[in-house]
Amino acid sequence: MLLCLSPAWLTKVAAPGQEGEATLLVSKAVSFYPGGLTFLDDFVPPRQATYFLAGLGPESGRGREAAELARNLTCPTGASAELARLLEDRLLMRRLLSQQSGVAVPATLAFTYKPPGLLRGGDVSPGLRLVELSGKEGQETLVKKEVEAFVHSEALGDASQVTVRLSGWRWRGQQALRLHLRVEPSTVVDTVLTLLETLEEEESVLVEAMCPPVRLPLPGSPSPGPELAVRICAVVCRIQGDRPLLSKVRGAHVQDMILSTPRVKEAAEAALAAVLTGRRGREGGGGLVGDRACVDFVLTVVGRALTPAALKLSSGLCLEACGALEGLWVARRPGRAAEEPAAAPLVETMLRRSARCLMEGKQLLVIGAGGVSKKFVWEAARDYGLQLHLVESDPNHFASELVQTFIHFDVTEHRRDEENARLLAELVRMRNLKLDGCFSFWDDCLVLTALLCQELGLPCSSPAAMCLAKQKSRTQLHLLRHQGPPWPAPSLHAVACCPLESEADVERAIYQVPLPGVMKLEFGSGAVGVQLVKDGPQCHEHFSRILHDLQGEADHPGIGLGWGNAMLLMEFVEGTEHDVDLVVFGGRLLAAFVSDNGPTRLPGFTETAACMPTGLAPEQEAQIVQAAFRCCLGCGLLDGVFNVELKMTGAGPRLIEINPRMGGFYLRDWILELYGVDLLLASTMVACGLQPALPAYPRARGYLVGIMCLVSQHLDLLSSPGSRETLQALHDQGLLRLNLLEEALIPGQYEEPYCNVACAGPNPAEARLRLLGLCQGLGIDKPDYPVAHFLSHFR
């Protein structure tokens, strides 16, 4: 982030190929470094801005210059002059809030002179009366009539006083408040007539109810305290999905009591939502501007309920004031949890929008289209403005119509990956594709992708590292030999295993690997063919069954049988199972997200339930993140988004396997919802050699608890059109999250989950109870599929 103290340090130049738009260049700025170091830097050549945030109000001293710089930029902006004017006009904002949000506002009588178009037409709420004046003189009779009707109206409730003030961009923060008794309308009329003389076009004189003070309970006392006029400033930021989020409340010493009710949060977020909705409606479905707002409330009583009434919205200095207070009081106060800085959601939005700006128009080659569970990739790519070129074996795949270029190429025979990489590199050159990156999110195609990146000179982890991570026994045996440095060494987390290619290997493995053990496919995915084996006969039986049932790609597409059906036997370790999704760039850990898995369905290890964020203690979470990161580094995985499965045992984390790609199933969706971080966007950035800017210690905005649905257990539910419509309707209403993982309802011995159903909550216990009730109502919970047992880990 760069701080420009003068508009002269910035230059706008016409954007090539984008008529009417400009690129913002930075020639000089203050730069910031860890440890509090700052430098005044000159940039030759100038640097291109990917996000622009400026103070557009009169207090900035250079509001006009900043507004002009922010106009018609190719990069996203955090504010606009038009929205700043809308925010700072008290009457415009009250009209918008009363019409769209349901947020309480003080009863208001407004005399407007040549009002702006936004105030003309439309319905007006009972508590907001607009009187349009034809002139500023000769209005005595009209003003007297309207004021007397207003002060005697029921809309004022218990208010005993009214205030008179000017409204408009010119007057914000530059006028004295005039307070009058409600029973003296003549003095109100005189004040209104005096102020009318100062009005210009699109300005107003407001007569508004003075919200009565409240009596707050005294701590430890049944009797109410003294009357208090409580003013609250709520800082709201726009986050992922254009949703508002309350980030900080500034108020009196009663802040704890205020925050104990969700009314302030609901009202503040509804206020910003009304602004965003109103702007979107007037601008034709796009052009959302404004990443933050400050909502000024007064706390009053409506119908015996403590209610925040919105006085105004602004883009002013509330956020800066919060930052100053945080800097002055950095020590954690006793009995309080660590609070997130007020600017954190805004910074998250700035970084996300900046990343989108960087990635828009980037040309990426995707190897393997995957199944229906990856449908989000193509939707997100269109949203981000990515130009995707797809290599896929199925010529009729639905994604072939959703990309810039479709290359039909058989990528299922992985024993020929090196040859195929050379052939694909030639095809790319023949088609003259100017690629910025190449990546894959499909297990089968990861090694081929690394080989192709090597051929084309594109960023990626090395083919050797991908091969090592892809073959499960090689991963464990390699890490067992990796004694360090660095420490803690990855060997601490690996478990004993033995590769199996023949019956003789099985006999040898029984004496090398402690039983009970886990037998699985070397290159498998989705837990297909994974089995708990307790003794020698079970090992031989399962080995023979897999060799007979899963011989090639046609027997079960998409699980890695193009590599063959070799197996391994590994030690079974007791403990809770966890997924760790990592973003690694240049061998540095940028972010990690930990989720918990419920007990699997033994003896087959099919996933049943999950919870995010983790319920592990902080020190255990740190251990498991470091274990996952060390195992990736130990295999040479230095760049990418990786999913690592581990168990937390009594002796610390133990590795199950590394998936050298973005986490599957529901994980991308959950992380995006809870943390606002898109693993897909991070994957594409790393593939283009760009470092994603991510929170080092991400904080979740709630909990998600989910359950898998299986064809073998829930065929009646999943095959019923009415039940599927019910699930989709509940998803659309936000009552659950539905992630479809398979397309066909095909029961079989080696099945994968068909879909995941999840519920959100402020804590894991509440999310779990919601999900349990929903599963019982829908019929997901059954005697042979005890949801309560699968959710028992998430207390």
Side-chain angles (χ1 to χ4, degrees):
M1 293 190 182
L2 302 174
L3 173 63
C4 293
L5 300 176
S6 167
W9 297 2
L10 296 159
T11 308
K12 289 174 72 173
V13 298
Q18 302 181 59
E19 186 176 352
E21 296 190 346
T23 300
L24 189 64
L25 301 179
V26 185
S27 58
K28 190 173 187 177
V30 179
S31 57
F32 302 85
Y33 294 86
L37 297 177
T38 59
F39 296 92
L40 183 59
D41 291 329
D42 291 291
F43 302 110
V44 181
R47 294 182 63 174
Q48 181 174 333
T50 57
Y51 181 93
F52 182 56
L53 181 66
L56 303 179
E59 79 277 0
S60 67
R62 286 175 172 161
R64 289 185 179 178
E65 294 96 327
E68 183 54 39
L69 285 170
R71 198 181 307 278
N72 300 326
L73 291 180
T74 56
C75 71
T77 60
S80 70
E82 292 78 9
L83 183 62
R85 284 183 175 275
L86 177 66
L87 286 174
E88 299 297 345
D89 190 311
R90 189 178 291 247
L91 178 57
L92 281 172
M93 286 314 308
R94 288 193 184 173
R95 170 72 175 273
L96 186 62
L97 292 180
S98 64
Q99 285 183 332
Q100 297 193 27
S101 69
V103 176
V105 298
T108 304
L109 169 66
F111 297 95
T112 67
Y113 176 61
K114 295 184 179 180
L118 290 173
L119 285 177
R120 294 174 184 154
D123 297 329
V124 178
S125 67
L128 183 61
R129 167 79 174 154
L130 272 65
V131 180
E132 186 174 344
L133 303 175
S134 57
K136 295 186 288 184
E137 298 178 354
Q139 304 294 329
E140 292 84 354
T141 302
L142 176 61
V143 169
K144 182 179 179 181
K145 174 186 173 182
E146 293 289 347
V147 168
E148 289 184 347
F150 178 71
V151 298
H152 292 101
S153 69
E154 295 181 358
L156 270 70
D158 297 332
S160 61
Q161 296 175 304
V162 295
T163 65
V164 184
R165 69 174 83 231
L166 290 161
S167 174
W169 173 262
R170 187 165 62 106
W171 296 106
R172 67 166 202 166
Q174 300 179 18
Q175 55 172 312
L177 182 71
R178 295 165 175 83
L179 192 62
H180 301 282
L181 291 174
R182 180 179 175 180
V183 295
E184 298 177 355
S186 59
T187 59
V188 178
V189 172
D190 292 340
T191 303
V192 171
L193 293 173
T194 301
L195 293 179
L196 284 180
E197 299 175 2
T198 66
L199 285 189
E200 295 182 1
E201 293 185 8
E202 300 189 351
E203 295 181 346
S204 309
V205 176
L206 305 184
V207 183
E208 60 188 47
M210 185 71 177
C211 293
V214 297
R215 288 182 178 272
L216 301 175
L218 293 172
S221 172
S223 59
E227 289 189 340
L228 295 174
V230 182
R231 292 286 292 270
I232 307 164
C233 181
V235 181
V236 194
C237 299
R238 177 158 67 105
I239 61 168
Q240 176 76 31
D242 290 331
R243 294 176 296 174
L245 177 72
L246 177 70
S247 68
K248 188 72 73 172
V249 171
R250 293 176 57 234
H253 65 282
V254 293
Q255 180 171 351
D256 286 341
M257 187 281 302
I258 294 168
L259 293 177
S260 66
T261 171
R263 287 178 177 268
V264 171
K265 174 179 171 63
E266 292 171 359
E269 293 178 354
L272 182 58
V275 174
L276 299 179
T277 303
R279 296 296 292 171
R280 182 165 56 243
R282 296 182 183 279
E283 297 178 12
L288 285 174
V289 285
D291 287 339
R292 61 168 178 169
C294 300
V295 190
D296 198 3
F297 291 106
V298 61
L299 205 60
T300 187
V301 176
V302 177
R304 302 188 68 181
L306 205 59
T307 303
L311 300 178
K312 65 175 182 176
L313 268 72
S314 71
S315 56
L317 299 175
C318 293
L319 187 62
E320 290 85 340
C322 287
L325 289 172
E326 289 162 0
L328 290 171
W329 185 247
V330 295
R332 183 181 297 183
R333 285 169 281 179
R336 286 179 177 265
E339 294 182 359
E340 191 174 59
L346 175 61
V347 172
E348 174 193 303
T349 296
M350 294 165 68
L351 294 175
R352 185 181 66 254
R353 298 186 69 196
S354 176
R356 292 173 68 111
C357 179
L358 280 169
M359 292 303 293
E360 187 170 2
K362 285 285 190 288
Q363 307 280 333
L364 287 117
L365 187 66
V366 181
I367 313 300
V372 68
S373 66
K374 306 301 182 186
K375 192 174 181 180
F376 68 85
V377 170
W378 320 108
E379 298 167 353
R382 181 174 61 251
D383 182 43
Y384 290 136
L386 301 175
Q387 305 295 307
L388 298 187
H389 310 276
L390 174 62
V391 177
E392 167 59 31
S393 304
D394 179 5
N396 300 313
H397 197 286
F398 69 86
S400 63
E401 303 294 327
L402 305 176
V403 293
Q404 301 297 309
T405 306
F406 179 71
I407 301 175
H408 176 221
F409 191 95
D410 184 7
V411 296
T412 61
E413 184 48 68
H414 301 296
R415 296 179 181 89
R416 300 177 56 188
D417 274 349
E418 292 189 10
E419 178 187 349
N420 287 340
R422 291 191 291 270
L423 293 174
L424 279 173
E426 287 302 315
L427 284 175
V428 168
R429 296 184 185 107
M430 287 172 57
R431 291 173 179 257
N432 199 30
L433 298 180
K434 305 299 182 184
L435 299 176
D436 297 294
C438 173
F439 80 112
S440 180
F441 45 79
W442 197 240
D443 274 295
D444 261 15
C445 300
L446 299 173
V447 174
L448 175 60
T449 301
L451 290 164
L452 182 55
C453 286
Q454 184 175 264
E455 289 284 337
L456 297 173
L458 296 172
C460 188
S461 289
S462 70
M466 284 291 186
C467 288
L468 193 57
K470 181 61 184 167
Q471 187 171 354
K472 297 176 175 61
S473 66
R474 284 189 63 197
T475 305
Q476 299 283 3
L477 294 173
H478 173 80
L479 293 177
L480 281 170
R481 295 190 295 269
H482 204 301
Q483 301 295 326
W487 291 282
S491 58
L492 291 173
H493 313 300
V495 299
C497 72
C498 185
L500 309 174
E501 293 187 3
S502 66
E503 289 284 352
D505 293 332
V506 176
E507 194 63 35
R508 184 177 67 254
I510 292 170
Y511 295 99
Q512 293 183 2
V513 177
L515 295 179
V518 181
M519 192 173 287
K520 60 173 72 174
L521 288 165
E522 278 277 25
F523 302 96
S525 62
V528 175
V530 183
Q531 182 90 2
L532 178 69
V533 287
K534 299 179 178 179
D535 52 34
Q538 286 190 2
C539 291
H540 285 285
E541 179 186 352
H542 187 63
F543 181 80
S544 299
R545 183 165 59 247
I546 293 297
L547 257 59
H548 177 267
D549 294 346
L550 302 176
Q551 297 183 7
E553 185 72 15
D555 294 323
H556 201 121
I559 65 161
L561 293 173
W563 296 87
N565 61 352
M567 302 188 71
L568 75 148
L569 177 66
M570 62 183 293
E571 179 183 358
F572 174 76
V573 292
E574 295 281 359
T576 56
E577 190 172 326
H578 307 269
D579 278 71
V580 184
D581 289 273
L582 307 171
V583 182
V584 181
F585 186 84
R588 290 177 293 120
L589 179 62
L590 301 185
F593 307 91
V594 183
S595 55
D596 303 339
N597 291 333
T600 54
R601 295 186 76 223
L602 296 177
F605 290 95
T606 305
E607 182 175 331
T608 59
C611 176
M612 181 181 279
T614 179
L616 291 172
E619 62 272 16
Q620 290 180 310
E621 182 181 7
Q623 286 179 31
I624 209 163
V625 167
Q626 281 301 310
F629 179 48
R630 295 292 181 187
C631 288
C632 288
L633 291 186
C635 290
L637 297 171
L638 305 180
D639 293 281
V641 177
F642 310 123
N643 171 259
V644 185
E645 300 175 28
L646 304 104
K647 276 192 172 182
M648 177 57 76
T649 73
R654 291 293 183 268
L655 177 67
I656 299 174
E657 62 188 45
I658 298 174
N659 301 303
R661 41 78 181 157
M662 176 178 60
F665 289 161
Y666 46 80
L667 285 168
R668 179 260 182 181
D669 179 51
W670 284 19
I671 291 169
L672 183 60
E673 171 67 18
L674 293 174
Y675 298 96
V677 173
D678 191 346
L679 292 186
L680 175 63
L681 183 60
S683 298
T684 58
M685 292 188 73
V686 174
C688 292
L690 298 172
Q691 177 179 331
L694 302 175
Y697 303 100
R699 182 174 298 185
R701 301 188 181 102
Y703 286 81
L704 281 168
V705 175
I707 192 80
M708 292 295 195
C709 293
L710 308 177
V711 175
S712 64
Q713 298 295 318
H714 307 109
L715 182 59
D716 293 343
L717 170 70
L718 300 175
S719 60
S720 166
S723 297
R724 292 202 304 269
E725 290 171 4
T726 299
L727 284 172
Q728 188 61 51
L730 291 171
H731 173 85
D732 295 339
Q733 295 167 25
L735 299 176
L736 60 79
R737 298 192 73 83
L738 175 65
N739 289 95
L740 192 64
L741 309 177
E742 293 291 332
E743 194 165 19
L745 290 166
I746 304 175
Q749 182 180 0
Y750 306 104
E751 67 176 342
E752 298 178 81
Y754 179 80
C755 67
N756 181 272
V757 176
C759 286
N763 54 64
E766 187 167 329
R768 181 179 64 86
L769 288 175
R770 289 178 183 174
L771 180 61
L772 182 58
L774 186 142
C775 289
Q776 291 170 344
L778 292 174
I780 297 173
D781 183 37
K782 306 172 67 175
D784 292 337
Y785 201 78
V787 172
H789 169 65
F790 297 143
L791 303 181
S792 59
H793 287 186
F794 316 135
R795 296 291 179 179

